[in-house]
CSV table of all heavy atoms in Angstrom, one decimal:
chain,number,residue,atom,x,y,z
A,259,TYR,N,-25.7,6.9,-1.8
A,259,TYR,CA,-25.9,8.4,-1.7
A,259,TYR,C,-24.5,9.0,-1.6
A,259,TYR,O,-23.7,8.7,-0.7
A,259,TYR,CB,-26.7,8.7,-0.5
A,259,TYR,CG,-28.2,8.5,-0.7
A,259,TYR,CD1,-28.7,7.3,-0.9
A,259,TYR,CD2,-29.1,9.6,-0.7
A,259,TYR,CE1,-30.1,7.1,-1.1
A,259,TYR,CE2,-30.5,9.4,-0.9
A,259,TYR,CZ,-31.0,8.1,-1.1
A,259,TYR,OH,-32.3,7.9,-1.3
A,292,ILE,N,-12.4,0.4,8.3
A,292,ILE,CA,-13.5,0.8,7.4
A,292,ILE,C,-13.3,0.4,6.0
A,292,ILE,O,-14.2,0.0,5.2
A,292,ILE,CB,-13.8,2.3,7.5
A,292,ILE,CG1,-15.1,2.7,6.9
A,292,ILE,CG2,-12.7,3.1,6.9
A,292,ILE,CD1,-16.3,2.3,7.7
A,301,PHE,N,-6.2,5.9,-2.6
A,301,PHE,CA,-4.8,6.1,-2.7
A,301,PHE,C,-4.5,6.9,-3.9
A,301,PHE,O,-4.8,6.4,-5.0
A,301,PHE,CB,-4.0,4.7,-2.7
A,301,PHE,CG,-2.5,4.9,-2.7
A,301,PHE,CD1,-1.9,5.4,-1.6
A,301,PHE,CD2,-1.8,4.5,-3.8
A,301,PHE,CE1,-0.5,5.5,-1.7
A,301,PHE,CE2,-0.4,4.6,-3.9
A,301,PHE,CZ,0.2,5.1,-2.8
A,341,ILE,N,8.3,-5.4,-5.7
A,341,ILE,CA,8.3,-6.6,-4.8
A,341,ILE,C,7.5,-6.4,-3.6
A,341,ILE,O,7.5,-5.3,-3.0
A,341,ILE,CB,9.8,-6.9,-4.4
A,341,ILE,CG1,10.6,-7.3,-5.6
A,341,ILE,CG2,9.8,-8.1,-3.4
A,341,ILE,CD1,12.1,-7.5,-5.3
A,355,LEU,N,1.2,6.5,-14.2
A,355,LEU,CA,1.9,7.8,-14.2
A,355,LEU,C,3.1,7.9,-15.1
A,355,LEU,O,3.7,8.9,-15.3
A,355,LEU,CB,2.2,8.3,-12.8
A,355,LEU,CG,1.0,8.5,-11.9
A,355,LEU,CD1,1.5,8.8,-10.5
A,355,LEU,CD2,0.1,9.7,-12.4
A,365,ILE,N,4.2,-13.1,-2.5
A,365,ILE,CA,4.1,-14.5,-2.2
A,365,ILE,C,2.7,-15.0,-1.9
A,365,ILE,O,2.4,-16.2,-2.0
A,365,ILE,CB,5.0,-14.8,-0.9
A,365,ILE,CG1,5.3,-16.3,-0.7
A,365,ILE,CG2,4.3,-14.2,0.3
A,365,ILE,CD1,6.2,-16.6,0.4
A,369,ALA,N,-3.3,-11.9,-2.4
A,369,ALA,CA,-2.8,-10.6,-2.8
A,369,ALA,C,-2.7,-10.4,-4.3
A,369,ALA,O,-3.2,-9.4,-4.8
A,369,ALA,CB,-1.5,-10.3,-2.1
A,407,VAL,N,11.4,-1.6,-6.8
A,407,VAL,CA,10.8,-0.8,-5.7
A,407,VAL,C,10.0,-1.7,-4.8
A,407,VAL,O,9.6,-2.8,-5.2
A,407,VAL,CB,9.8,0.2,-6.4
A,407,VAL,CG1,8.7,-0.4,-7.2
A,407,VAL,CG2,9.2,1.1,-5.3
A,426,SER,N,-4.5,-5.2,13.4
A,426,SER,CA,-4.5,-6.7,13.7
A,426,SER,C,-5.3,-7.4,12.6
A,426,SER,O,-5.2,-8.6,12.5
A,426,SER,CB,-5.0,-7.0,15.1
A,426,SER,OG,-6.4,-6.7,15.2
A,430,GLU,N,-0.6,-10.6,8.6
A,430,GLU,CA,0.7,-10.5,9.3
A,430,GLU,C,1.9,-10.7,8.4
A,430,GLU,O,2.9,-10.1,8.6
A,430,GLU,CB,0.7,-11.6,10.4
A,430,GLU,CG,-0.3,-11.3,11.6
A,430,GLU,CD,-0.1,-12.2,12.8
A,430,GLU,OE1,0.9,-13.0,12.7
A,430,GLU,OE2,-0.8,-12.0,13.8
A,440,GLY,N,13.6,-5.4,12.0
A,440,GLY,CA,12.7,-5.3,10.9
A,440,GLY,C,13.5,-5.1,9.6
A,440,GLY,O,12.9,-4.6,8.6
A,458,GLY,N,23.1,1.2,-13.8
A,458,GLY,CA,22.6,2.5,-13.8
A,458,GLY,C,21.1,2.6,-13.3
A,458,GLY,O,20.5,3.6,-13.2
A,463,PHE,N,12.9,1.9,-1.5
A,463,PHE,CA,12.1,1.3,-0.5
A,463,PHE,C,11.4,2.3,0.4
A,463,PHE,O,11.9,3.4,0.6
A,463,PHE,CB,13.0,0.5,0.5
A,463,PHE,CG,13.8,-0.6,0.0
A,463,PHE,CD1,15.1,-0.5,-0.3
A,463,PHE,CD2,13.2,-1.9,-0.2
A,463,PHE,CE1,15.8,-1.6,-0.8
A,463,PHE,CE2,13.9,-2.9,-0.7
A,463,PHE,CZ,15.2,-2.8,-1.0
A,482,PHE,N,25.7,-0.6,-3.7
A,482,PHE,CA,24.8,0.5,-4.2
A,482,PHE,C,25.5,1.8,-3.8
A,482,PHE,O,26.1,2.0,-2.7
A,482,PHE,CB,23.4,0.4,-3.6
A,482,PHE,CG,22.6,-0.7,-4.3
A,482,PHE,CD1,22.7,-2.0,-3.8
A,482,PHE,CD2,21.8,-0.4,-5.3
A,482,PHE,CE1,22.0,-3.0,-4.5
A,482,PHE,CE2,21.0,-1.4,-6.0
A,482,PHE,CZ,21.1,-2.7,-5.5
A,487,VAL,N,17.9,9.7,1.1
A,487,VAL,CA,16.7,9.5,1.9
A,487,VAL,C,15.7,10.6,1.6
A,487,VAL,O,16.1,11.8,1.5
A,487,VAL,CB,17.0,9.4,3.4
A,487,VAL,CG1,15.8,9.4,4.3
A,487,VAL,CG2,17.9,8.2,3.7
A,504,ARG,N,27.1,-1.5,-12.3
A,504,ARG,CA,27.7,-2.8,-12.4
A,504,ARG,C,29.2,-2.7,-12.5
A,504,ARG,O,29.7,-1.8,-13.2
A,504,ARG,CB,27.1,-3.6,-13.5
A,504,ARG,CG,27.4,-5.1,-13.5
A,504,ARG,CD,26.6,-5.8,-14.6
A,504,ARG,NE,25.2,-5.6,-14.5
A,504,ARG,CZ,24.4,-6.4,-13.7
A,504,ARG,NH1,24.9,-7.3,-12.9
A,504,ARG,NH2,23.1,-6.1,-13.7
Side-chain angles (χ1 to χ4, degrees):
Y259 281 65
I292 193 71
F301 181 66
I341 297 174
L355 297 172
I365 195 172
V407 60
S426 70
E430 292 192 359
F463 294 103
F482 284 85
V487 171
R504 199 173 299 280

